[in-house]
Amino acid sequence: MAIDVNTDLLDIYGQKFSSRLLIGSALYPSPKVMQDSIAASQAQIVTVSLRRQSPESGGGNMFWQQIKDLGLTILPNTAGCHSIQEAVTLAQMSREIFETDWVKLELVGDEYNLQPDPIDLVKATEILINDGFKVLPYCTDDLVICRHLVELGCEVLMPWGAPIGTGKGLLNPYALSAIRNRFPQTTLVVDAGIGKPSDAVQAFELGYDAILLNSAVAQAQDPIVMAQAFKAACEAGRFGYLAGKMPEKDTAQPSTPTLGMPFWHQS
Amino acid sequence: MQLKINGQTVEVTETKSLLDVVKEFGASAPFALAVNGQFVPKSQHESWNLAEQDSIEILSPVQGG
């Protein structure tokens, strides 16, 4: 039986989405390319952030209007936070300004690779969940950290594929697969590290429910076409996963019938 | 009274509310505020009592990944 994206829906804290691509709003060559790329991706969730207001640049109002014009679900992040207090405060400010209790919780543990601090991430998650947030934690692919996050009430986990902005693809498919197998009921999103559409396909083939990316589209030579490519890759990967791949064999098996073979095999 | 707003040192008269201070600084909607690293909800912007050397953050939407 055929499936389509309108019946096979992504579940994020009870909200349903036909797109399995979450997309960032940063690093595009221009605001127009950002809008056109996000539209071309057909993503329904877009990530944004908060920074110090610069009155001379219009206070961020122009950007916010462009994002609102897209009519998408907003996912604020806490990018750049290095402490629990910073992340919690930024999340609270985001909740007020973006009018959402969703937060993509990012807590940098090391500047070298922007790796999430696993210990403080768990502590900040607990504080935010107790404060009524729906936390989407950007985490490493550590199974035990993921377990702690799930036990705290996270319905979504977002382990990295590779460090932010590297485009290296899924560096540890085994670890990502283990998380999938361990938490079959949790919505899993590969966040960060995806560089090309085949990386997205691989994430879905591992059974992941969605991907979140930014640089892979924004920094492509043609962001709009790459956004289209990722849309197609998400659907291909997801449908392929649902279809179930054929059993592998160690030796060749002819696909064309051998019965009735002409010429040399006949006596 | 001396304050810091988004890292800049400013002088204000002590009678001003937090909302007045940030508007005088040039803040325009949409923005959210924190004082000394603590979130201050919009409902408290007018009533919040500022103190000498308080550090105010005025944040607005930007691109994010």
Side-chain angles (χ1 to χ4, degrees), chain A residues 2-262:
Chain A
I3 59 168
D4 68 56
V5 296
N6 295 312
T7 53
D8 174 44
L9 298 174
L10 172 68
D11 185 325
I12 305 278
Y13 282 102
Q15 289 191 50
K16 308 288 187 184
F17 301 91
S18 56
S19 170
R20 292 176 176 271
L21 173 59
L22 289 69
I23 196 162
S25 55
L27 300 174
Y28 294 88
S30 72
K32 176 77 165 65
V33 173
M34 176 195 76
Q35 281 187 306
D36 290 349
S37 300
I38 294 173
S41 76
Q42 295 190 21
Q44 294 167 309
I45 300 171
V46 62
T47 53
V48 295
S49 196
L50 288 180
R51 287 294 180 267
R52 282 177 169 171
Q53 184 173 102
S54 168
E56 59 273 15
S57 67
N61 194 33
M62 188 180 297
F63 164 74
W64 181 223
Q65 190 57 52
Q66 289 163 342
I67 290 294
K68 284 199 292 188
D69 288 346
L70 290 166
L72 306 179
T73 297
I74 301 297
L75 175 57
N77 72 28
T78 61
C81 289
H82 287 72
S83 73
I84 296 169
Q85 184 59 56
E86 286 175 10
V88 168
T89 298
L90 199 60
Q92 292 168 331
M93 297 172 86
S94 294
R95 178 165 59 182
E96 180 180 85
I97 211 162
F98 296 119
E99 299 178 330
T100 177
D101 53 8
W102 285 15
V103 61
K104 176 188 168 184
L105 182 59
E106 296 184 58
L107 224 165
V108 177
D110 191 282
E111 277 298 323
Y112 178 70
N113 60 357
L114 299 179
Q115 180 170 333
D117 183 322
I119 298 162
D120 283 353
L121 182 73
V122 171
K123 291 176 182 172
T125 296
E126 183 169 21
I127 292 168
L128 289 171
I129 286 177
N130 288 337
D131 192 19
F133 281 89
K134 294 182 171 69
V135 179
L136 293 85
Y138 169 58
C139 54
T140 57
D141 51 23
D142 186 300
L143 181 70
V144 178
I145 292 299
C146 289
R147 183 168 58 79
H148 285 302
L149 293 167
V150 169
E151 286 171 354
L152 286 171
C154 289
E155 296 179 15
V156 180
L157 296 176
M158 303 209 297
W160 66 357
I164 293 170
T166 61
K168 287 184 173 295
L170 310 189
L171 294 181
N172 194 341
Y174 169 80
L176 291 171
S177 188
I179 294 167
R180 173 71 289 170
N181 294 334
R182 180 69 178 82
F183 306 108
Q185 304 304 321
T186 303
T187 296
L188 296 181
V189 182
V190 170
D191 180 9
I194 286 176
K196 56 189 184 303
S198 59
D199 300 332
V201 172
Q202 187 185 12
F204 286 101
E205 286 173 346
L206 293 176
Y208 274 64
D209 299 290
I211 60 164
L212 194 162
L213 56 79
N214 190 156
S215 305
V217 167
Q219 301 202 309
Q221 292 182 31
D222 188 329
I224 298 168
V225 174
M226 189 60 87
Q228 293 177 292
F230 271 106
K231 174 189 175 291
C234 289
E235 291 179 11
R238 173 66 179 175
F239 286 14
Y241 170 73
L242 292 176
K245 70 176 287 245
M246 61 163 278
E248 282 187 20
K249 302 182 185 75
D250 288 331
T251 55
Q253 302 286 321
S255 50
T256 303
T258 52
L259 188 64
M261 193 74 182

